[in-house]
Amino acid sequence: MMLHEISPAKFHNEYFPYEARKEDCFIGCRKDAVLLGESEGKIVVPTVGEAMEAFRQEDRDGEPVPELSEFRYLFSVDRARFFALTEREVSPFGSYDWKSLRYLRVTKPLPSAFAASVGQQLFAWYRRTRFCGACGQKLEHAPSERMMHCPACGEMYFPQICPSVIVAVRDGERILLTKYAPSHFPNSTHNPKATYALVAGYIEIGETPEDCVRREVMEEVGLRVKNITAWKNQPWPFTSTLLFGFFCDLDGDDTITLQEDELSVAEWVNRADMQDRSADISLTSNMMEAFRLGKDPRSV
Ligand SMILES: [Zn+2]
């Protein structure tokens, strides 16, 4: 299962200006971690009431305890509403401690891991969207949608998502696998040296996802491709990306020319030599598994 495949639980991100209740879920965040507990190997999310009590008990040099109205509504999973404090620093409290984004990639249950990682993504966006990039004025929350706006010049800021492609290049029974150069993803949620990936890249202004597939494959490994076929998509909260998966076939010469500032390895791997990646929750692993098991679009 991919991270966002949380059925039968349902993710509701329609925006409502809900005021927090003490029993609601609290996503406490910092730049690269979420405040969570764990019980019997499962994530435990703190409540708004527990967060307020922690502020009350901490000596914060006269900093007032946050009012319920300070908690910002994020989204719901089923009937559980999630809130964050976007203007405050939080510290670990009770049995809750900082959990890295890497932890959220491997932990269960999936609806809680998804909620925590998407909550962290929204929190991170709020934290870096406080001043207008056009005129420098402090931004204000729009009353009825998930948007920040500038009272001085009217500029509007919506949650930022970067569309990207993940590309599985095939040549008969072989697939092109890559490893990132360690310098390329200093804040990655996985260890780039240990993990095979697929060709991937951000969609640029003015190009379609398919244009991006052709450009990225040429840039990263110097190959031409054909039969570009859409696969699944994935919202990937750890890097604020929306991933579009594509399968395609090698067109012509199979000689790899590595883009060394981005990749450390790119090689053709036979289907029979691929490792089982079924436990991983990423689209990349989903696509590798589809190829390994002969379930990619060509074979269906
Ligand atoms: Zn402005």
Side-chain angles (χ1 to χ4, degrees):
M1 302 298 276
M2 291 193 279
L3 177 62
H4 64 290
E5 294 177 327
I6 61 173
S7 173
K10 191 152 176 17
F11 176 59
H12 297 279
N13 72 340
E14 311 88 299
Y15 186 76
F16 296 102
Y18 287 131
E19 181 157 308
R21 304 161 300 188
K22 288 187 175 177
E23 67 271 26
D24 288 327
C25 298
F26 174 65
I27 299 288
C29 297
R30 64 180 188 192
K31 184 166 174 279
D32 55 357
V34 184
L35 209 50
L36 296 168
E38 191 179 293
S39 174
E40 297 175 348
K42 291 184 176 178
I43 293 174
V44 180
V45 180
T47 65
V48 165
E50 288 174 315
M52 292 173 79
E53 186 56 32
F55 270 89
R56 198 166 287 124
Q57 289 178 4
E58 280 176 32
D59 180 11
R60 286 196 168 231
D61 296 330
E63 182 186 352
V65 174
E67 306 277 337
L68 283 168
S69 59
E70 265 187 71
F71 290 79
R72 177 77 38 196
Y73 175 67
L74 301 176
F75 51 76
S76 298
V77 174
D78 292 334
R79 296 174 68 86
R81 294 179 187 172
F82 290 76
F83 288 80
L85 281 172
T86 56
E87 321 275 329
R88 299 277 199 124
E89 302 290 333
V90 293
S91 308
F93 58 85
S95 57
Y96 305 105
D97 207 348
W98 292 118
K99 300 288 189 189
S100 69
L101 302 184
R102 191 188 300 257
Y103 167 86
L104 293 173
R105 281 195 59 158
V106 296
T107 196
K108 298 281 184 289
L110 225 43
S112 301
F114 179 70
S117 52
V118 172
Q120 203 280 336
Q121 180 186 350
L122 272 171
F123 168 85
W125 174 74
Y126 277 118
R127 287 306 297 266
R128 59 175 190 265
T129 313
R130 293 191 279 188
F131 295 93
C132 179
C135 78
Q137 188 73 223
K138 189 158 175 30
L139 297 176
E140 295 177 352
H141 290 271
S144 58
E145 58 186 322
R146 194 176 287 109
M147 185 261 280
M148 302 295 287
H149 69 98
C150 176
C153 76
E155 197 75 36
M156 297 183 286
Y157 297 86
F158 295 91
Q160 184 185 26
I161 306 166
C162 300
S164 312
V165 297
I166 305 277
V167 190
V169 184
R170 303 168 300 198
D171 179 33
E173 285 295 294
R174 303 188 300 170
I175 187 170
L176 184 76
L177 300 184
T178 65
K179 290 184 182 181
Y180 285 105
S183 58
H184 187 65
F185 278 133
N187 301 316
S188 174
T189 56
H190 67 280
N191 179 354
K193 275 193 270 190
T195 316
Y196 271 124
L198 297 170
V199 169
Y202 290 108
I203 301 173
E204 298 284 351
I205 289 173
E207 69 182 359
T208 65
E210 289 82 0
D211 290 338
C212 180
V213 166
R214 282 183 281 267
R215 178 179 56 76
E216 285 290 345
V217 175
M218 181 55 72
E219 284 178 3
E220 292 193 0
V221 291
L223 299 173
R224 298 175 70 88
V225 294
K226 61 185 178 184
N227 305 334
I228 298 170
T229 308
W231 178 245
K232 298 176 181 177
N233 308 319
Q234 182 179 38
W236 188 242
F238 307 110
T239 49
S240 292
T241 41
L242 173 57
L243 305 172
F244 296 90
F246 287 91
F247 281 90
C248 58
D249 294 309
L250 175 70
D251 184 11
D253 187 358
D254 70 351
T255 309
I256 294 165
T257 308
L258 198 64
Q259 185 183 32
E260 289 181 353
D261 57 348
E262 184 137 344
L263 300 178
S264 62
V265 174
E267 57 197 8
W268 293 107
V269 175
N270 284 308
R271 190 196 303 265
D273 297 330
M274 294 178 74
Q275 293 183 339
D276 184 339
R277 293 270 291 249
S278 57
D280 187 57
I281 45 88
S282 71
L283 177 60
T284 296
S285 292
N286 173 278
M287 292 174 69
M288 287 187 200
E289 279 296 285
F291 181 78
R292 187 175 74 86
L293 302 172
K295 294 180 176 172
D296 51 308
R298 174 188 50 180
S299 309
V300 170

mmCIF file with all atom_site columns, all heavy atoms in Angstrom, residues 127 143 147 165 195 211 245 276 293:
data_model
loop_
_atom_site.group_PDB
_atom_site.id
_atom_site.type_symbol
_atom_site.label_atom_id
_atom_site.label_alt_id
_atom_site.label_comp_id
_atom_site.label_asym_id
_atom_site.label_entity_id
_atom_site.label_seq_id
_atom_site.pdbx_PDB_ins_code
_atom_site.Cartn_x
_atom_site.Cartn_y
_atom_site.Cartn_z
_atom_site.occupancy
_atom_site.B_iso_or_equiv
_atom_site.pdbx_formal_charge
_atom_site.auth_seq_id
_atom_site.auth_comp_id
_atom_site.auth_asym_id
_atom_site.auth_atom_id
_atom_site.pdbx_PDB_model_num
ATOM 1  N N   . ARG A 1 127 ? 4.511   27.896  8.204   1.00 0.00 ? 127 ARG A N   1
ATOM 2  C CA  . ARG A 1 127 ? 5.678   28.533  8.815   1.00 0.00 ? 127 ARG A CA  1
ATOM 3  C C   . ARG A 1 127 ? 6.495   29.354  7.826   1.00 0.00 ? 127 ARG A C   1
ATOM 4  O O   . ARG A 1 127 ? 7.144   30.314  8.201   1.00 0.00 ? 127 ARG A O   1
ATOM 5  C CB  . ARG A 1 127 ? 6.588   27.473  9.466   1.00 0.00 ? 127 ARG A CB  1
ATOM 6  C CG  . ARG A 1 127 ? 6.063   26.868  10.740  1.00 0.00 ? 127 ARG A CG  1
ATOM 7  C CD  . ARG A 1 127 ? 5.685   27.893  11.785  1.00 0.00 ? 127 ARG A CD  1
ATOM 8  N NE  . ARG A 1 127 ? 6.793   28.701  12.251  1.00 0.00 ? 127 ARG A NE  1
ATOM 9  C CZ  . ARG A 1 127 ? 7.528   28.445  13.325  1.00 0.00 ? 127 ARG A CZ  1
ATOM 10 N NH1 . ARG A 1 127 ? 7.263   27.408  14.070  1.00 0.00 ? 127 ARG A NH1 1
ATOM 11 N NH2 . ARG A 1 127 ? 8.507   29.234  13.674  1.00 0.00 ? 127 ARG A NH2 1
ATOM 12 N N   . PRO A 1 143 ? -10.381 33.916  5.774   1.00 0.00 ? 143 PRO A N   1
ATOM 13 C CA  . PRO A 1 143 ? -11.363 33.378  6.715   1.00 0.00 ? 143 PRO A CA  1
ATOM 14 C C   . PRO A 1 143 ? -12.007 32.068  6.276   1.00 0.00 ? 143 PRO A C   1
ATOM 15 O O   . PRO A 1 143 ? -12.376 31.259  7.124   1.00 0.00 ? 143 PRO A O   1
ATOM 16 C CB  . PRO A 1 143 ? -12.410 34.492  6.813   1.00 0.00 ? 143 PRO A CB  1
ATOM 17 C CG  . PRO A 1 143 ? -12.229 35.311  5.577   1.00 0.00 ? 143 PRO A CG  1
ATOM 18 C CD  . PRO A 1 143 ? -10.795 35.195  5.179   1.00 0.00 ? 143 PRO A CD  1
ATOM 19 N N   . MET A 1 147 ? -5.713  29.540  2.734   1.00 0.00 ? 147 MET A N   1
ATOM 20 C CA  . MET A 1 147 ? -4.983  30.511  1.916   1.00 0.00 ? 147 MET A CA  1
ATOM 21 C C   . MET A 1 147 ? -4.501  31.640  2.816   1.00 0.00 ? 147 MET A C   1
ATOM 22 O O   . MET A 1 147 ? -5.171  32.007  3.774   1.00 0.00 ? 147 MET A O   1
ATOM 23 C CB  . MET A 1 147 ? -5.935  31.042  0.834   1.00 0.00 ? 147 MET A CB  1
ATOM 24 C CG  . MET A 1 147 ? -5.309  31.971  -0.183  1.00 0.00 ? 147 MET A CG  1
ATOM 25 S SD  . MET A 1 147 ? -5.616  33.696  0.163   1.00 0.00 ? 147 MET A SD  1
ATOM 26 C CE  . MET A 1 147 ? -7.285  33.906  -0.482  1.00 0.00 ? 147 MET A CE  1
ATOM 27 N N   . VAL A 1 165 ? 7.679   13.942  -11.746 1.00 0.00 ? 165 VAL A N   1
ATOM 28 C CA  . VAL A 1 165 ? 7.471   12.633  -12.386 1.00 0.00 ? 165 VAL A CA  1
ATOM 29 C C   . VAL A 1 165 ? 8.428   11.604  -11.800 1.00 0.00 ? 165 VAL A C   1
ATOM 30 O O   . VAL A 1 165 ? 9.533   11.932  -11.386 1.00 0.00 ? 165 VAL A O   1
ATOM 31 C CB  . VAL A 1 165 ? 7.659   12.689  -13.921 1.00 0.00 ? 165 VAL A CB  1
ATOM 32 C CG1 . VAL A 1 165 ? 6.629   13.608  -14.563 1.00 0.00 ? 165 VAL A CG1 1
ATOM 33 C CG2 . VAL A 1 165 ? 9.074   13.107  -14.296 1.00 0.00 ? 165 VAL A CG2 1
ATOM 34 N N   . THR A 1 195 ? 19.406  2.770   -1.208  1.00 0.00 ? 195 THR A N   1
ATOM 35 C CA  . THR A 1 195 ? 18.128  2.486   -1.842  1.00 0.00 ? 195 THR A CA  1
ATOM 36 C C   . THR A 1 195 ? 18.143  2.788   -3.332  1.00 0.00 ? 195 THR A C   1
ATOM 37 O O   . THR A 1 195 ? 18.519  3.881   -3.746  1.00 0.00 ? 195 THR A O   1
ATOM 38 C CB  . THR A 1 195 ? 17.023  3.358   -1.198  1.00 0.00 ? 195 THR A CB  1
ATOM 39 O OG1 . THR A 1 195 ? 17.198  3.338   0.208   1.00 0.00 ? 195 THR A OG1 1
ATOM 40 C CG2 . THR A 1 195 ? 15.648  2.838   -1.546  1.00 0.00 ? 195 THR A CG2 1
ATOM 41 N N   . ASP A 1 211 ? 6.435   15.626  -21.390 1.00 0.00 ? 211 ASP A N   1
ATOM 42 C CA  . ASP A 1 211 ? 7.645   16.380  -21.785 1.00 0.00 ? 211 ASP A CA  1
ATOM 43 C C   . ASP A 1 211 ? 8.710   16.222  -20.713 1.00 0.00 ? 211 ASP A C   1
ATOM 44 O O   . ASP A 1 211 ? 9.901   16.062  -21.002 1.00 0.00 ? 211 ASP A O   1
ATOM 45 C CB  . ASP A 1 211 ? 7.342   17.886  -21.905 1.00 0.00 ? 211 ASP A CB  1
ATOM 46 C CG  . ASP A 1 211 ? 6.456   18.236  -23.078 1.00 0.00 ? 211 ASP A CG  1
ATOM 47 O OD1 . ASP A 1 211 ? 6.404   17.445  -24.037 1.00 0.00 ? 211 ASP A OD1 1
ATOM 48 O OD2 . ASP A 1 211 ? 5.822   19.314  -23.023 1.00 0.00 ? 211 ASP A OD2 1
ATOM 49 N N   . GLY A 1 245 ? 3.472   8.935   -11.829 1.00 0.00 ? 245 GLY A N   1
ATOM 50 C CA  . GLY A 1 245 ? 4.281   7.788   -12.237 1.00 0.00 ? 245 GLY A CA  1
ATOM 51 C C   . GLY A 1 245 ? 4.073   7.462   -13.712 1.00 0.00 ? 245 GLY A C   1
ATOM 52 O O   . GLY A 1 245 ? 2.932   7.451   -14.201 1.00 0.00 ? 245 GLY A O   1
ATOM 53 N N   . ASP A 1 276 ? 12.348  -7.474  -3.408  1.00 0.00 ? 276 ASP A N   1
ATOM 54 C CA  . ASP A 1 276 ? 10.960  -7.254  -2.995  1.00 0.00 ? 276 ASP A CA  1
ATOM 55 C C   . ASP A 1 276 ? 10.855  -5.902  -2.285  1.00 0.00 ? 276 ASP A C   1
ATOM 56 O O   . ASP A 1 276 ? 11.496  -5.690  -1.257  1.00 0.00 ? 276 ASP A O   1
ATOM 57 C CB  . ASP A 1 276 ? 10.538  -8.389  -2.054  1.00 0.00 ? 276 ASP A CB  1
ATOM 58 C CG  . ASP A 1 276 ? 9.068   -8.290  -1.658  1.00 0.00 ? 276 ASP A CG  1
ATOM 59 O OD1 . ASP A 1 276 ? 8.487   -7.197  -1.750  1.00 0.00 ? 276 ASP A OD1 1
ATOM 60 O OD2 . ASP A 1 276 ? 8.511   -9.326  -1.240  1.00 0.00 ? 276 ASP A OD2 1
ATOM 61 N N   . LEU A 1 293 ? 6.700   -7.926  -10.762 1.00 0.00 ? 293 LEU A N   1
ATOM 62 C CA  . LEU A 1 293 ? 5.634   -8.924  -10.804 1.00 0.00 ? 293 LEU A CA  1
ATOM 63 C C   . LEU A 1 293 ? 4.933   -8.975  -12.155 1.00 0.00 ? 293 LEU A C   1
ATOM 64 O O   . LEU A 1 293 ? 3.930   -9.662  -12.326 1.00 0.00 ? 293 LEU A O   1
ATOM 65 C CB  . LEU A 1 293 ? 4.616   -8.642  -9.686  1.00 0.00 ? 293 LEU A CB  1
ATOM 66 C CG  . LEU A 1 293 ? 5.205   -8.628  -8.257  1.00 0.00 ? 293 LEU A CG  1
ATOM 67 C CD1 . LEU A 1 293 ? 4.169   -8.154  -7.259  1.00 0.00 ? 293 LEU A CD1 1
ATOM 68 C CD2 . LEU A 1 293 ? 5.727   -10.021 -7.893  1.00 0.00 ? 293 LEU A CD2 1
#
